[in-house]
Structure formats: C-alpha cells, structure tokens
Amino acid sequence: MKLKLIAACAAALVMAAATPVFAQDPIKVGITTTGVPFTFVDTATQKPTGAMVDLASAIAADTGDSATFEITAFSALIPALTTGKIDLISAGMFATEERRQVVEFSTPVYTYGDAMFVAAANPENYTIEELNGETVGAQIGTTFADTLQKLGTFSEVKLYDSIADIMRDVKLGRIKAGFGDQPIIAYQISQNPDLGIRLVDGYKPLKQGEVSLAVAKDNPQLLEKVNASIAKLKESGELAKIFAKYGL
C-alpha cells in the first residue's frame, strides 16, 4: 500500500513538472518621446528612458511584474488606454478633473507648472497681457493649450504635436512665444544651450498641476498595486532619487 502511495505521489510530481507555467503578461506602459526628461528615447541606446520610465520600471519590479513601453503621441495616450492598447500611462501628464471622467489616476508623484519661452535673440520678458493679439504655440492635448485658448486674447493659439516643433517656430520667428511644461523646457535648454530659445524671466505659471500615472477605469486592481508601490517608493526615498536623477 505504501509503495502504491509513493508511486502515485511520484507520478503526480512528474505531471506537475510537465505542466507548462504560463508567464504573466507584461504591463504595457504608454509613454511619449517628446516629454524630456519625463519620457524620451536615449539616442545612444535607442531605448525609452526618463523619470517616468524609471518610475514605471520600479513599480513593476515592486509588484513582481515586467513592463514594456509603448511609444505613443501625447494626445493619443488616453485613447490608447481606454481602448486597451496599453495598461498604464506613465508620462508628464496632469491629473485633471476632465481626464478623471475617462481614466483613474494614481496618487501624485510630481508637481509643476507651465513656462513661457521666446527666441534667444528676443530680449523681451513678456507678460501674458503683452502678448495680446499675437500668435503663440502650445502642445496639443495639454492643459496649457486649453487654458491659453480660453483666455481669448491671442490672435491664434497654434497647436503642435511636440514641444520641439514649438521651439523651432519660436526660434524662426513664426510665432511670438511658446508655452510648455517648465521642467521639460528648462531641461532641454540646459542640455542644449544652442537651442535658440530661452525661458521668459519672471513668468508666473497660468496653471500648476500634479503628475500622476493613469489606468483604465475598469482596472482597479492595477491602480491599487500602483498606489501601493508609489507609497513604498516615497517612504524609502527612491521616488525622490528617480526624479533627482533627471534634474527634477
């Protein structure tokens, strides 16, 4: 009887070993390449990098998951999330009430406001009021673009796909000034002094916002895991180190 029991146990172990173990699908993280230093592609390695890329990787490591990064235009990040093409947005995205209508946001990880920039050869430090009737630029899909349009004081708020495109037109004099994420503009100027633009001194941000990661409304389990990991990273000081690495 004991021999039969041992044989049965051995057979069960063999079957268990032969049963394939299916790896959990990686978390598909949506990023944009235009959000230096939050999200961009390292020209040396051609791999996604940046503070929000490192943060998503740290969260995945904490939860025991793996992460793959899907490069997406900023304005297409939320549609990609709501249609299931990605599982998580980790970019320099503000958690606004309008966006909360369609996605769920994590606890905040960073706070900043907008900046105004002009051509490096332009010595004027404009106020918003002094740009009345001028053409200015902002990135499509950003809260800054919405705020500028609502002011109704410009001849046009020209919308661009990327901050790099705004910088080009400001440098060439096609538009009077550009608006964008302060840390992104400041980082790019510091990395490339010959960029041909400069930040306007004394400019007061129109809006400040809190950067958060986003998940689909039908995925509360992922949101819970993300928030738990963020709490751990804040407590350990690792979150601050991630942002400090990129001058944030």
Side-chain angles (χ1 to χ4, degrees):
M1 191 68 177
K2 286 184 179 180
L3 289 174
K4 288 184 178 179
L5 181 58
I6 292 171
C9 290
L13 288 171
V14 170
M15 290 181 64
T19 302
V21 177
F22 295 99
Q24 188 174 357
D25 290 337
I27 298 172
K28 291 178 287 185
V29 184
I31 64 167
T32 174
T33 60
T34 59
V36 183
F38 291 104
T39 55
F40 60 103
V41 173
D42 187 320
T43 54
T45 64
Q46 292 302 305
K47 292 181 179 180
T49 189
M52 297 302 288
V53 174
D54 287 4
L55 176 56
S57 297
I59 289 171
D62 180 65
T63 60
D65 297 301
S66 60
T68 60
F69 295 94
E70 306 287 334
I71 296 174
T72 309
F74 186 86
S75 58
L77 284 170
I78 288 180
L81 182 65
T82 56
T83 56
K85 293 178 181 177
I86 58 176
D87 305 307
L88 180 69
I89 296 173
S90 188
M93 179 178 283
F94 286 163
T96 65
E97 289 307 313
E98 183 178 4
R99 289 170 179 158
R100 288 184 193 278
Q101 301 302 312
V102 289
V103 300
E104 294 289 351
F105 283 104
S106 71
T107 51
V109 296
Y110 193 77
T111 301
Y112 69 90
D114 57 293
M116 182 199 297
F117 56 95
V118 296
N122 184 346
E124 297 296 326
N125 288 315
Y126 299 109
T127 64
I128 287 287
E129 292 73 23
E130 290 172 332
L131 292 175
N132 185 40
E134 299 285 355
T135 298
V136 300
Q139 189 176 2
I140 189 170
T142 62
T143 60
F144 309 135
D146 295 338
T147 302
L148 291 166
Q149 288 176 322
K150 287 175 183 176
L151 287 176
T153 59
F154 309 103
S155 65
E156 181 186 1
V157 177
K158 194 171 181 181
L159 300 179
Y160 294 81
D161 288 329
S162 73
I163 291 177
D165 293 335
I166 308 173
M167 291 178 173
R168 178 201 63 222
D169 277 9
V170 167
K171 178 183 177 180
L172 294 175
R174 294 171 179 166
I175 59 176
K176 183 66 71 174
F179 294 82
D181 310 71
Q182 192 279 335
I184 293 176
I185 306 300
Y187 183 87
Q188 294 196 32
I189 292 174
S190 71
Q191 296 299 304
N192 185 4
D194 298 323
L195 201 55
I197 63 162
R198 67 174 182 86
L199 289 171
V200 170
D201 292 335
Y203 174 74
K204 295 181 179 179
L206 290 169
K207 193 167 194 164
Q208 283 211 329
E210 294 178 325
V211 175
S212 299
L213 291 81
V215 303
K217 282 189 171 291
D218 61 357
N219 198 352
Q221 296 88 354
L222 180 57
L223 180 63
E224 185 177 346
K225 289 167 68 174
V226 167
N227 280 336
S229 292
I230 290 173
K232 289 181 186 178
L233 293 169
K234 284 183 177 180
E235 179 69 23
S236 67
E238 185 61 27
L239 183 66
K241 289 180 182 178
I242 288 172
F243 285 106
K245 176 182 174 182
Y246 296 92
L248 295 168

Short mmCIF file of all heavy atoms in Angstrom, two decimals, residues 146-181:
data_model
loop_
_atom_site.label_atom_id
_atom_site.label_comp_id
_atom_site.label_asym_id
_atom_site.label_seq_id
_atom_site.Cartn_x
_atom_site.Cartn_y
_atom_site.Cartn_z
N ASP A 146 -5.38 74.31 -23.50
CA ASP A 146 -6.79 74.62 -23.17
C ASP A 146 -6.90 75.95 -22.44
O ASP A 146 -7.77 76.77 -22.75
CB ASP A 146 -7.38 73.51 -22.31
CG ASP A 146 -7.46 72.18 -23.04
OD1 ASP A 146 -7.46 72.19 -24.28
OD2 ASP A 146 -7.52 71.13 -22.36
N THR A 147 -6.02 76.18 -21.47
CA THR A 147 -6.05 77.41 -20.68
C THR A 147 -5.78 78.63 -21.55
O THR A 147 -6.47 79.66 -21.44
CB THR A 147 -5.02 77.36 -19.54
OG1 THR A 147 -5.30 76.21 -18.72
CG2 THR A 147 -5.09 78.60 -18.68
N LEU A 148 -4.80 78.54 -22.44
CA LEU A 148 -4.46 79.66 -23.32
C LEU A 148 -5.61 79.98 -24.27
O LEU A 148 -5.93 81.15 -24.51
CB LEU A 148 -3.21 79.32 -24.13
CG LEU A 148 -1.89 79.25 -23.35
CD1 LEU A 148 -0.80 78.58 -24.18
CD2 LEU A 148 -1.45 80.64 -22.91
N GLN A 149 -6.26 78.95 -24.80
CA GLN A 149 -7.38 79.18 -25.72
C GLN A 149 -8.55 79.85 -25.02
O GLN A 149 -9.24 80.70 -25.59
CB GLN A 149 -7.80 77.86 -26.36
CG GLN A 149 -6.80 77.34 -27.37
CD GLN A 149 -7.18 75.98 -27.93
OE1 GLN A 149 -7.70 75.12 -27.21
NE2 GLN A 149 -6.93 75.75 -29.21
N LYS A 150 -8.77 79.46 -23.77
CA LYS A 150 -9.89 80.03 -23.02
C LYS A 150 -9.70 81.51 -22.68
O LYS A 150 -10.66 82.23 -22.45
CB LYS A 150 -10.12 79.23 -21.73
CG LYS A 150 -10.74 77.85 -21.98
CD LYS A 150 -10.82 77.03 -20.69
CE LYS A 150 -11.38 75.64 -20.96
NZ LYS A 150 -11.39 74.80 -19.74
N LEU A 151 -8.43 81.96 -22.67
CA LEU A 151 -8.16 83.37 -22.39
C LEU A 151 -8.76 84.27 -23.47
O LEU A 151 -9.23 85.37 -23.19
CB LEU A 151 -6.65 83.63 -22.29
CG LEU A 151 -5.95 83.10 -21.03
CD1 LEU A 151 -4.45 83.35 -21.14
CD2 LEU A 151 -6.50 83.77 -19.77
N GLY A 152 -8.71 83.79 -24.73
CA GLY A 152 -9.31 84.54 -25.82
C GLY A 152 -8.61 85.84 -26.18
O GLY A 152 -9.20 86.71 -26.81
N THR A 153 -7.35 86.01 -25.79
CA THR A 153 -6.64 87.27 -26.02
C THR A 153 -5.65 87.20 -27.18
O THR A 153 -5.13 88.23 -27.60
CB THR A 153 -5.89 87.70 -24.75
OG1 THR A 153 -4.95 86.67 -24.40
CG2 THR A 153 -6.85 87.94 -23.60
N PHE A 154 -5.37 86.01 -27.68
CA PHE A 154 -4.39 85.86 -28.74
C PHE A 154 -5.07 85.82 -30.11
O PHE A 154 -6.23 85.43 -30.23
CB PHE A 154 -3.58 84.57 -28.55
CG PHE A 154 -2.99 84.43 -27.17
CD1 PHE A 154 -3.56 83.58 -26.22
CD2 PHE A 154 -1.87 85.16 -26.80
CE1 PHE A 154 -3.02 83.46 -24.96
CE2 PHE A 154 -1.31 85.04 -25.54
CZ PHE A 154 -1.89 84.19 -24.61
N SER A 155 -4.32 86.21 -31.15
CA SER A 155 -4.88 86.08 -32.49
C SER A 155 -5.03 84.60 -32.85
O SER A 155 -5.95 84.21 -33.56
CB SER A 155 -4.00 86.79 -33.53
OG SER A 155 -2.73 86.16 -33.62
N GLU A 156 -4.10 83.79 -32.31
CA GLU A 156 -4.19 82.34 -32.51
C GLU A 156 -3.33 81.62 -31.47
O GLU A 156 -2.23 82.08 -31.15
CB GLU A 156 -3.69 81.94 -33.91
CG GLU A 156 -3.78 80.46 -34.19
CD GLU A 156 -3.16 80.05 -35.53
OE1 GLU A 156 -2.63 80.93 -36.23
OE2 GLU A 156 -3.21 78.84 -35.84
N VAL A 157 -3.85 80.51 -30.96
CA VAL A 157 -3.05 79.59 -30.17
C VAL A 157 -2.79 78.40 -31.10
O VAL A 157 -3.66 77.55 -31.30
CB VAL A 157 -3.75 79.13 -28.88
CG1 VAL A 157 -2.87 78.12 -28.15
CG2 VAL A 157 -4.06 80.32 -27.98
N LYS A 158 -1.63 78.39 -31.70
CA LYS A 158 -1.29 77.34 -32.66
C LYS A 158 -0.92 76.06 -31.93
O LYS A 158 -0.12 76.10 -31.00
CB LYS A 158 -0.13 77.81 -33.55
CG LYS A 158 0.08 76.97 -34.79
CD LYS A 158 1.10 77.62 -35.72
CE LYS A 158 1.28 76.77 -36.97
NZ LYS A 158 2.28 77.38 -37.88
N LEU A 159 -1.51 74.96 -32.33
CA LEU A 159 -1.29 73.69 -31.65
C LEU A 159 -0.29 72.83 -32.40
O LEU A 159 -0.35 72.70 -33.62
CB LEU A 159 -2.62 72.94 -31.49
CG LEU A 159 -3.70 73.68 -30.69
CD1 LEU A 159 -4.97 72.85 -30.62
CD2 LEU A 159 -3.21 74.02 -29.28
N TYR A 160 0.61 72.23 -31.64
CA TYR A 160 1.70 71.43 -32.21
C TYR A 160 1.69 70.02 -31.61
O TYR A 160 1.24 69.81 -30.50
CB TYR A 160 3.05 72.08 -31.89
CG TYR A 160 3.28 73.42 -32.57
CD1 TYR A 160 2.75 74.58 -32.02
CD2 TYR A 160 4.05 73.51 -33.72
CE1 TYR A 160 2.97 75.81 -32.63
CE2 TYR A 160 4.28 74.73 -34.33
CZ TYR A 160 3.74 75.88 -33.78
OH TYR A 160 3.96 77.09 -34.39
N ASP A 161 2.27 69.09 -32.37
CA ASP A 161 2.38 67.71 -31.88
C ASP A 161 3.45 67.55 -30.82
O ASP A 161 3.35 66.67 -29.97
CB ASP A 161 2.68 66.75 -33.05
CG ASP A 161 1.49 66.56 -33.97
OD1 ASP A 161 0.35 66.62 -33.47
OD2 ASP A 161 1.71 66.35 -35.17
N SER A 162 4.49 68.39 -30.87
CA SER A 162 5.60 68.24 -29.92
C SER A 162 6.14 69.59 -29.51
O SER A 162 6.00 70.59 -30.24
CB SER A 162 6.72 67.40 -30.53
OG SER A 162 7.43 68.14 -31.51
N ILE A 163 6.81 69.62 -28.36
CA ILE A 163 7.46 70.84 -27.88
C ILE A 163 8.59 71.24 -28.83
O ILE A 163 8.84 72.43 -29.05
CB ILE A 163 7.97 70.64 -26.45
CG1 ILE A 163 6.78 70.54 -25.48
CG2 ILE A 163 8.88 71.79 -26.02
CD1 ILE A 163 7.16 70.26 -24.05
N ALA A 164 9.27 70.24 -29.41
CA ALA A 164 10.36 70.53 -30.35
C ALA A 164 9.86 71.36 -31.53
O ALA A 164 10.56 72.26 -32.01
CB ALA A 164 10.99 69.23 -30.83
N ASP A 165 8.66 71.06 -32.00
CA ASP A 165 8.07 71.82 -33.11
C ASP A 165 7.78 73.26 -32.71
O ASP A 165 7.96 74.19 -33.50
CB ASP A 165 6.79 71.14 -33.59
CG ASP A 165 7.04 69.79 -34.25
OD1 ASP A 165 8.16 69.58 -34.75
OD2 ASP A 165 6.13 68.95 -34.24
N ILE A 166 7.31 73.46 -31.46
CA ILE A 166 7.05 74.81 -30.97
C ILE A 166 8.36 75.58 -30.88
O ILE A 166 8.46 76.74 -31.31
CB ILE A 166 6.38 74.79 -29.58
CG1 ILE A 166 5.14 73.88 -29.57
CG2 ILE A 166 5.97 76.20 -29.16
CD1 ILE A 166 4.54 73.68 -28.19
N MET A 167 9.38 74.94 -30.33
CA MET A 167 10.69 75.58 -30.20
C MET A 167 11.22 76.03 -31.56
O MET A 167 11.77 77.14 -31.70
CB MET A 167 11.68 74.62 -29.54
CG MET A 167 11.40 74.33 -28.09
SD MET A 167 12.60 73.13 -27.44
CE MET A 167 12.19 73.15 -25.70
N ARG A 168 11.06 75.19 -32.57
CA ARG A 168 11.53 75.53 -33.91
C ARG A 168 10.86 76.79 -34.44
O ARG A 168 11.53 77.71 -34.94
CB ARG A 168 11.25 74.36 -34.86
CG ARG A 168 11.64 74.59 -36.32
CD ARG A 168 10.87 73.66 -37.22
NE ARG A 168 9.44 73.92 -37.16
CZ ARG A 168 8.50 72.97 -37.12
NH1 ARG A 168 8.85 71.69 -37.10
NH2 ARG A 168 7.23 73.30 -37.07
N ASP A 169 9.52 76.87 -34.30
CA ASP A 169 8.80 78.03 -34.82
C ASP A 169 9.05 79.29 -34.01
O ASP A 169 9.05 80.40 -34.56
CB ASP A 169 7.30 77.72 -34.88
CG ASP A 169 6.92 76.96 -36.14
OD1 ASP A 169 7.86 76.53 -36.87
OD2 ASP A 169 5.72 76.78 -36.41
N VAL A 170 9.30 79.14 -32.70
CA VAL A 170 9.66 80.31 -31.89
C VAL A 170 11.03 80.82 -32.34
O VAL A 170 11.23 82.03 -32.54
CB VAL A 170 9.69 79.94 -30.38
CG1 VAL A 170 10.37 81.05 -29.58
CG2 VAL A 170 8.27 79.74 -29.87
N LYS A 171 11.98 79.94 -32.50
CA LYS A 171 13.33 80.31 -32.93
C LYS A 171 13.31 81.00 -34.28
O LYS A 171 14.04 82.00 -34.50
CB LYS A 171 14.22 79.07 -32.99
CG LYS A 171 15.64 79.34 -33.46
CD LYS A 171 16.44 78.04 -33.56
CE LYS A 171 17.84 78.32 -34.10
NZ LYS A 171 18.63 77.06 -34.21
N LEU A 172 12.48 80.52 -35.20
CA LEU A 172 12.42 81.07 -36.56
C LEU A 172 11.54 82.31 -36.66
O LEU A 172 11.43 82.91 -37.73
CB LEU A 172 11.91 79.99 -37.53
CG LEU A 172 12.84 78.78 -37.73
CD1 LEU A 172 12.18 77.74 -38.61
CD2 LEU A 172 14.19 79.21 -38.32
N GLY A 173 10.89 82.69 -35.55
CA GLY A 173 10.06 83.89 -35.55
C GLY A 173 8.68 83.70 -36.15
O GLY A 173 7.98 84.68 -36.43
N ARG A 174 8.26 82.46 -36.33
CA ARG A 174 6.94 82.20 -36.90
C ARG A 174 5.82 82.46 -35.90
O ARG A 174 4.69 82.73 -36.29
CB ARG A 174 6.87 80.76 -37.40
CG ARG A 174 7.80 80.47 -38.57
CD ARG A 174 7.86 78.99 -38.89
NE ARG A 174 8.74 78.71 -40.03
CZ ARG A 174 9.18 77.50 -40.35
NH1 ARG A 174 8.80 76.44 -39.61
NH2 ARG A 174 9.98 77.34 -41.38
N ILE A 175 6.14 82.30 -34.61
CA ILE A 175 5.21 82.66 -33.54
C ILE A 175 5.98 83.46 -32.50
O ILE A 175 7.21 83.36 -32.41
CB ILE A 175 4.55 81.41 -32.89
CG1 ILE A 175 5.62 80.47 -32.30
CG2 ILE A 175 3.67 80.67 -33.88
CD1 ILE A 175 5.03 79.27 -31.58
N LYS A 176 5.27 84.27 -31.74
CA LYS A 176 5.93 85.19 -30.81
C LYS A 176 6.49 84.45 -29.58
O LYS A 176 7.59 84.76 -29.11
CB LYS A 176 4.95 86.26 -30.35
CG LYS A 176 5.55 87.32 -29.43
CD LYS A 176 6.59 88.18 -30.14
CE LYS A 176 5.96 89.11 -31.15
NZ LYS A 176 6.97 90.04 -31.74
N ALA A 177 5.73 83.49 -29.06
CA ALA A 177 6.15 82.79 -27.84
C ALA A 177 5.55 81.39 -27.82
O ALA A 177 4.55 81.11 -28.49
CB ALA A 177 5.73 83.56 -26.60
N GLY A 178 6.17 80.53 -27.05
CA GLY A 178 5.66 79.19 -26.86
C GLY A 178 5.42 78.91 -25.39
O GLY A 178 6.01 79.57 -24.52
N PHE A 179 4.54 77.96 -25.12
CA PHE A 179 4.22 77.56 -23.75
C PHE A 179 4.35 76.05 -23.63
O PHE A 179 3.96 75.31 -24.53
CB PHE A 179 2.80 78.00 -23.37
CG PHE A 179 2.61 79.48 -23.30
CD1 PHE A 179 2.38 80.23 -24.46
CD2 PHE A 179 2.68 80.15 -22.09
CE1 PHE A 179 2.22 81.60 -24.41
CE2 PHE A 179 2.50 81.52 -22.02
CZ PHE A 179 2.28 82.25 -23.18
N GLY A 180 4.89 75.61 -22.50
CA GLY A 180 5.02 74.18 -22.29
C GLY A 180 5.40 73.86 -20.86
O GLY A 180 5.49 74.76 -20.01
N ASP A 181 5.64 72.59 -20.60
CA ASP A 181 5.98 72.12 -19.26
C ASP A 181 7.32 72.71 -18.81
O ASP A 181 8.34 72.49 -19.46
CB ASP A 181 6.08 70.60 -19.25
CG ASP A 181 4.86 69.94 -19.88
OD1 ASP A 181 4.72 70.03 -21.12
OD2 ASP A 181 4.07 69.35 -19.14
#
